[in-house]
Amino acid sequence: MSTVRRTPRTHRPDRVRDALLAQVEFLRVAAHGLTPERLDRETGLPGWEVRQLLAHLVRQIDSLPRLLAEPAPPGNRPACDVSGWVLSTGSRAKRLDEEARRDAATIADLAVALDGAAEELESVIETGIREDVLLPVPFGAMRALDFTVTRLVETVVHADDLTRALGSPVRLDRTALAVTARVLADAVAEKAPGASTEVRIPPFAVVQCLPGPRHTRGTPPNVVETDPITWMRLAAGRVSWRLAVATGRLKASGERAGALADHLPVLG
């Protein structure tokens, strides 16, 4: 698992709070507009219909209140940062799938359950954006603010999953999308460290990655550029590198740029 970096990206607590509450509200609105037929729609996620996706979202939104209610982990230093969380999510995929299927089968009204999770989240959000509070996440102790940032990633990625499943847009909060793009860019830079290739996700993020000669001046010889939605889908395994290039949504120039495909997705 990734260790805490020496110079992690900083996130403004107030912006994280406001973006998460806004994104959860957009999800609540979308959930209340679903008919039984739309709950049966395939999401593109293996074996998940919309109902399983909503059940997963309920659990992910409610995870901050649940963790805050647990005893604090020992010590006063985090063992996992945001990139560490991203790069470790694949190890919990099987358990998350089982939980989503079980919850979807037992929750009578998923929209009402989402309302309840949103209310619980709002009641603890001020504690959830503190940097001096540690939470006992499965990957080790984590700062509350960092974990709350991961809730932004979860809600944005899955709001986009709902958009694709339903054929109608679920709104994305701009700050939430920006944070998600940066978090996923930071994760790929940590997974494939180096400075030979510049990854650009305008207007939100630029990172360098992949081993090789370091670029210092002028136009980088290896550049990968795409929009935030395409980047999110690539980094989360929702779209392939080949399709993104073929549709013109992704541009990769330089002999090393294409090697980035070998390090995607980063989110399990």
Side-chain angles (χ1 to χ4, degrees):
M1 187 186 74
S2 175
T3 57
V4 178
R5 294 173 295 162
R6 292 181 181 177
T7 56
R9 186 186 296 273
T10 58
H11 299 278
R12 281 186 49 175
D14 58 333
R15 290 184 178 177
V16 171
R17 175 198 63 210
D18 294 348
L20 181 56
L21 294 178
Q23 191 58 58
V24 169
E25 180 61 20
F26 294 151
L27 287 166
R28 288 183 60 247
V29 170
H32 278 280
L34 296 179
T35 61
E37 179 274 329
R38 301 188 92 191
L39 287 171
D40 291 336
R41 289 196 180 184
E42 298 291 335
T43 64
L45 303 176
W48 280 18
E49 299 171 346
V50 169
R51 67 181 70 254
Q52 282 82 30
L53 179 54
L54 287 182
H56 176 70
L57 275 165
V58 170
R59 185 173 285 269
Q60 296 309 303
I61 293 168
D62 191 50
S63 59
L64 180 61
R66 284 189 283 108
L67 288 174
L68 284 169
E70 293 184 13
N76 57 6
R77 295 180 63 84
C80 178
D81 67 356
V82 177
S83 287
W85 174 84
V86 171
L87 298 174
S88 299
T89 51
S91 66
R92 285 180 51 80
K94 181 178 180 181
R95 179 170 179 176
L96 293 173
D97 178 71
E98 292 170 350
E99 290 173 343
R101 293 175 187 277
R102 182 180 66 245
D103 291 348
T106 57
I107 296 175
D109 191 324
L110 288 164
V112 171
L114 197 60
D115 289 343
E119 291 173 5
E120 289 293 323
L121 174 69
E122 188 169 3
S123 71
V124 302
I125 192 65
E126 295 302 333
T127 304
I129 56 173
R130 286 174 56 175
E131 296 183 79
D132 60 338
V133 172
L134 292 182
L135 301 180
V137 304
F139 312 129
M142 193 172 189
R143 290 188 180 94
L145 175 60
D146 285 349
F147 185 74
T148 301
V149 168
T150 72
R151 300 308 86 194
L152 272 180
V153 176
E154 287 277 356
T155 53
V156 169
V157 169
H158 291 314
D160 184 58
D161 288 334
L162 278 175
T163 289
R164 291 183 294 114
L166 300 173
S168 55
V170 177
R171 287 185 61 185
L172 297 179
D173 177 81
R174 178 178 171 83
T175 299
L177 178 60
V179 171
T180 298
R182 291 165 187 152
V183 164
L184 296 175
D186 290 346
V188 80
E190 187 159 327
K191 183 179 181 181
S196 72
T197 302
E198 189 164 279
V199 180
R200 301 172 177 172
I201 307 106
F204 297 138
V206 177
V207 298
Q208 292 187 337
C209 60
L210 297 177
R214 183 179 183 86
H215 167 71
T216 56
R217 298 181 61 188
T219 302
N222 304 287
V223 175
V224 173
E225 183 167 339
T226 188
D227 62 275
I229 298 294
T230 301
W231 171 247
M232 176 178 66
R233 292 174 179 174
L234 279 165
R238 271 51 172 182
V239 69
S240 70
W241 179 277
R242 180 175 297 183
L243 180 60
V245 171
T247 56
R249 302 297 295 271
L250 173 73
K251 295 179 173 60
S253 60
E255 62 179 15
R256 295 178 182 272
L260 185 65
D262 297 334
H263 301 280
L264 296 172
V266 291
L267 186 68

